[in-house]
Amino acid sequence: MAIADVIEGNKTAEASAGHSSDRSSRRYNIEARQTMQETKPFELSRRSLMVGTTVATAAPTASSSAASQTPTRDHSPLAPVTSRISFSVNGKLIVLDVDTRTSLLDALRENLHLTGSKKGCDHGQCGACTVMVDGRRIYSCLTLAVMHDGDEVITIEGLGQPENLHPMQAAFVKHDSYQCGYCTPGQICASVAMLEEIKAGVPSHVTADLLAAPRLTAEEIRERMSGNICRCGAYSNIVDAITEVAEHQA
């Protein structure tokens, strides 16, 4: 085959490929135009817009209305549970209807208005609330009033009055065993009960002989009164007052 024939054949092939490419391009353009013509543009009329807006606005309102009609749980506090107790306070029979959570201290102060017993720490750590129940000293802030139904309670008001002081009260005045006086009611009640414990032979942490009767010493008094705090620091005078009363009782 001659070189001229080969060159002529290549030209013929290139022309044929070019015509084929042009036909494919024209066919693609025709199909694209047909597709665009068949696809309708997004149409939004004023009526459609108003309907859609109304529905979107009404949906939350309907939801809120339904929620408001749903019954809700009542979280209001329950009424306190009360109990009736009957006990003796300073020789008088007392009947009280108290909240079962009320401490003996609060019952004495708030219900009976016997405010001599003081609320210091309200945790049984200072002794300012000390009263005597059936002859024993207790922290009235640590015990519930309902636990003492039928008991005999003595507060500082029941020990003596200004015109008729108890010997321990008079000794505290004589020896200047107080300064601010806030802890004094608890100190006096604890002192009276403490002397009764020694008479009954109840030992303390510093009692040397547990089989013998406890001796009234300054060390014994300090140990037994260690649960009653005097922030003014009148401890030495308190010991003097207790010692004088114990000697007179002996």
Side-chain angles (χ1 to χ4, degrees):
M1 179 179 297
I3 295 175
D5 294 335
V6 172
I7 294 173
E8 186 63 25
N10 290 339
K11 290 181 178 179
T12 302
E14 290 175 358
S16 177
H19 290 305
S20 176
S21 176
D22 291 341
R23 286 195 300 271
S24 298
S25 176
R26 286 196 298 271
R27 185 166 54 252
Y28 173 79
N29 292 334
I30 293 172
E31 291 176 353
R33 284 196 298 272
Q34 291 176 349
T35 301
M36 293 178 63
Q37 292 174 357
E38 293 175 357
T39 303
K40 296 181 179 181
F42 176 74
E43 297 179 357
L44 180 63
S45 65
R46 183 174 181 276
R47 179 180 180 81
S48 300
L49 178 62
M50 294 298 295
V51 171
T53 304
T54 303
V55 172
T57 305
T61 305
S63 177
S64 301
S65 177
S68 64
Q69 295 176 2
T70 303
T72 58
R73 183 176 298 177
D74 184 9
H75 294 286
S76 59
L78 299 177
V81 178
T82 61
S83 178
R84 174 163 296 185
I85 59 173
S86 174
F87 59 156
S88 172
V89 179
N90 299 331
K92 297 180 180 180
L93 181 63
I94 301 295
V95 178
L96 284 178
D97 290 319
V98 296
D99 188 326
T100 54
R101 300 166 295 179
T102 303
S103 68
L104 177 59
L105 175 61
D106 286 338
L108 294 173
R109 291 180 57 85
E110 305 300 333
N111 295 80
L112 302 181
H113 307 292
L114 297 173
T115 56
S117 303
K118 302 300 189 231
K119 179 177 286 191
C121 63
D122 209 25
H123 286 77
Q125 297 175 349
C126 71
C129 66
T130 303
V131 299
M132 292 178 287
V133 176
D134 293 339
R136 299 179 59 187
R137 51 180 173 162
I138 66 169
Y139 297 145
S140 59
C141 72
L142 291 186
T143 183
L144 297 175
V146 295
M147 298 171 62
H148 298 284
D149 185 49
D151 289 349
E152 180 180 354
V153 180
I154 301 295
T155 70
I156 189 66
E157 291 90 348
L159 284 179
Q161 295 296 321
E163 65 278 1
N164 184 26
L165 293 177
H166 184 278
M168 190 65 72
Q169 292 173 313
F172 265 65
V173 174
K174 175 182 177 180
H175 291 276
D176 196 20
S177 302
Y178 57 88
Q179 290 186 36
C180 75
Y182 195 83
C183 73
T184 305
Q187 297 278 2
I188 293 176
C189 287
S191 301
V192 172
M194 182 268 294
L195 291 182
E196 295 300 321
E197 292 170 4
I198 292 179
K199 289 181 182 179
V202 179
S204 74
H205 181 69
V206 298
T207 302
D209 188 355
L210 299 181
L211 299 179
R215 296 177 56 193
L216 185 66
T217 63
E219 186 180 18
E220 279 281 357
I221 295 175
R222 292 190 182 96
E223 169 60 27
R224 293 173 185 269
M225 293 294 295
S226 60
N228 289 78
I229 297 175
C230 175
R231 291 180 173 85
C232 298
Y235 295 112
S236 59
N237 296 14
I238 293 173
V239 171
D240 292 341
I242 295 173
T243 301
E244 178 178 300
V245 173
E247 290 175 349
H248 288 169
Q249 290 180 350

